[in-house]
Amino acid sequence: MRTAIAIRLLALTLAAPLFTAAGGPGEPAPTGVRVGSQIRVFGADREHLELARWAGGRFERAGMQPPAVDVHFHPDTAGCYGHIASTLDGRVDICVVIVSEIARDALLHEMGHVWIDEHVPDSLRQRFMEMRGLTAWSDPDVPWDDRAFEHGAEIIAWGLGHRYMAPSIPDREPVRLAPAFELLAGVAPPNPGPLTS
């Protein structure tokens, strides 16, 4: 009997650091957890860690290198300047508590911003703006849905996601989005796959 208890205690002691590093059920991870070679996640419970792993996998599935990014999850919109998500200097903040299509789309959109910063040169940005009929890349004085940078992130999210939700930009028909995705990414949009993957 004592041996069985000792073995259980030893197993729990050895497993505790792994459980704590990944966050227990409903508990955020206290420090950054790598979910890919370039993605670190902070403040995530297990579901949000899986969400970040899923997002990195969507880039890989398309043949695109995932962006080098720190993803921070927050319990309310205060961590995202009052929005559901934001990006600044390679840091992505996600303020969607429930993992859903909204959270998936928000994460892909924000990671799309970082990916564009890392992979899309000025000459390609200009071609993208011409294709989309836009005149500003990321001018804060221009309405959100007239900024090419936002079109790019929405199109990356659409192309990599499940396509359950339409992008929040004008000219969002698939026949217009697919060529824009291909111009930015250098590959055709992959098959969206089932909602669970």
Side-chain angles (χ1 to χ4, degrees):
M1 182 85 159
R2 288 186 185 169
T3 304
I5 292 172
I7 290 171
R8 285 185 189 144
L9 286 174
L10 178 62
L12 286 172
T13 303
L14 293 174
L18 295 173
F19 187 74
T20 303
E27 296 175 21
T31 58
V33 175
R34 286 209 177 274
V35 296
S37 64
Q38 305 211 99
I39 301 170
R40 290 188 312 168
V41 181
F42 298 83
D45 59 19
R46 289 187 188 276
E47 282 187 304
H48 288 91
L49 279 173
E50 285 305 312
L51 172 61
R53 190 172 287 115
W54 169 86
R58 299 302 282 196
F59 280 88
E60 292 170 348
R61 181 175 185 211
M64 301 162 65
Q65 180 178 0
V69 66
D70 287 345
V71 179
H72 294 257
F73 288 96
H74 304 278
D76 57 47
T77 58
C80 300
Y81 311 102
H83 301 285
I84 65 169
S86 65
T87 302
L88 184 62
D89 297 328
R91 174 184 165 139
V92 167
D93 291 285
I94 301 293
C95 295
V96 181
V97 177
I98 297 170
V99 174
S100 64
E101 280 306 300
I102 293 170
R104 288 182 186 97
D105 187 64
L107 181 55
L108 286 176
H109 174 100
E110 300 305 335
M111 288 176 71
H113 278 308
V114 178
W115 188 89
I116 288 168
D117 281 343
E118 293 174 352
H119 298 278
V120 180
D122 288 341
S123 60
L124 188 54
R125 292 176 190 201
Q126 187 61 42
R127 288 177 48 209
F128 178 77
M129 288 171 51
E130 291 168 7
M131 174 187 266
R132 298 292 297 166
L134 303 167
T135 59
W137 182 254
S138 187
D139 184 342
D141 294 329
V142 171
W144 184 91
D145 59 357
D146 289 334
R147 298 178 200 163
F149 193 41
E150 297 301 341
H151 278 240
E154 283 288 281
I155 289 168
I156 293 292
W158 171 84
L160 297 179
H162 292 128
R163 302 184 202 145
Y164 181 74
M165 298 171 47
S168 300
I169 54 175
D171 299 323
R172 60 181 175 233
E173 300 80 20
V175 69
R176 296 283 316 268
L177 298 173
F181 179 92
E182 193 164 346
L183 177 65
L184 287 175
V187 296
N191 182 315
L195 287 178
T196 58
S197 66

